[in-house]
Amino acid sequence: MTDFATRRRTMVDTQVRPSDVTKFPIIDAMLTVQRENFVPDSHREAAYAEGIIDLGGGRCLLEPRTLAKMLDALNISNDEVVLDIAPALGYSTAVAARMAQLVVAVEEDEALAAEAQTLLMEAEADNAIVHVGPLEQGATEHGPYDVIMIQGGVEQVPDALIEQLKDRGRIACLFVEGKLGTVRIGHKSGGQVTWRYAFNANAPVLKAFCTECAFSL
């Protein structure tokens, strides 16, 4: 029988801590949330491996280092509301839920969203809900948000999401240009977002956030 608890600690000790992520809430969340439950059964054995987990259909589970550093840069507090875009089966949502007051996940596939909601309930993430709808439109009825994060690569960020971010809010995006990817943190002030480089990473570009899709709307 696979000892996932040991693998989870190894993931934190060899991928998260060495990436200069030391905040207790992040470490505690990643040691607690059972990542193996938030991947398809065929990927359970690889749940704690270093690297991206391909979920098919252009979707992925970001590598642990990327998610941890993104959360570190966002510095979520327990009185904040978070919008988590494209979390697939909900791992990032479950992790963020241990830090935030409320996390709203957005998934466009009804079956995937339903499964994610079930998994979040089983993980006792009672402060997390899954909204079904287009990824690029967010979830206006639950906003505005203190924090927004996107679980995949982007080439552009729709104005609809920026509008759902509170003034003084933060947004984390993994911008992909060619083969290069960088995570940038946007800070909103006076209705405008100023982006700052955070770290290098990579992930497939989400279809809803590609430049060609923006032109086709």
Side-chain angles (χ1 to χ4, degrees):
M1 184 175 179
T2 303
D3 184 354
F4 285 117
T6 296
R7 291 192 183 187
R8 193 154 50 251
R9 180 165 293 280
T10 299
M11 174 192 74
V12 169
D13 289 343
T14 63
Q15 299 181 53
V16 176
R17 294 183 194 273
S19 298
D20 296 324
V21 177
T22 58
K23 291 186 177 77
F24 174 78
I26 300 173
I27 298 298
D28 180 63
M30 298 191 84
L31 283 173
T32 303
V33 177
Q34 298 177 12
R35 186 175 164 97
E36 71 274 13
N37 292 340
F38 292 90
V39 298
D41 289 343
S42 59
H43 290 71
R44 282 174 66 87
E45 289 298 320
Y48 295 98
E50 187 172 356
I52 293 168
I53 296 180
D54 185 357
L55 302 177
R59 302 296 298 279
C60 74
L61 183 61
L62 295 179
E63 59 181 315
R65 167 191 175 274
T66 299
L67 177 61
K69 288 180 71 66
M70 188 180 287
L71 292 169
D72 186 61
L74 288 169
N75 197 28
I76 299 167
S77 61
N78 60 12
D79 61 349
E80 293 187 313
V81 179
V82 176
L83 179 64
D84 191 18
I85 303 291
L89 291 173
Y91 175 70
S92 56
T93 302
V95 172
R98 296 188 65 83
M99 305 171 211
Q101 182 181 78
L102 173 68
V103 183
V104 179
V106 178
E107 271 302 338
E108 55 193 2
D109 181 274
E110 290 189 12
L112 186 62
E115 187 172 359
Q117 188 69 75
T118 297
L119 291 171
L120 288 165
M121 291 174 62
E122 291 174 352
E124 298 183 348
D126 299 328
N127 59 333
I129 58 175
V130 182
H131 170 87
V132 181
L135 302 179
E136 69 276 15
Q137 292 183 15
T140 55
E141 58 265 51
H142 301 289
Y145 301 94
D146 300 285
V147 172
I148 297 176
M149 55 184 187
I150 302 176
Q151 304 301 320
V154 307
E155 293 177 345
Q156 53 84 37
V157 182
D159 290 340
L161 288 186
I162 299 299
E163 290 170 0
Q164 292 172 49
L165 186 64
K166 288 182 182 178
D167 208 48
R168 297 188 179 181
R170 294 94 65 207
I171 178 171
C173 296
L174 200 173
F175 287 92
V176 178
E177 299 175 1
K179 294 183 179 181
L180 301 176
T182 59
V183 172
R184 300 173 197 162
I185 306 300
H187 294 262
K188 190 173 181 180
S189 179
Q192 300 295 318
V193 172
T194 301
W195 295 94
R196 297 177 182 174
Y197 167 85
F199 60 94
N200 295 328
N202 224 323
V205 174
L206 292 163
K207 184 178 180 181
F209 297 94
C210 68
T211 303
E212 290 181 1
C213 292
F215 285 128
S216 66
L217 293 178

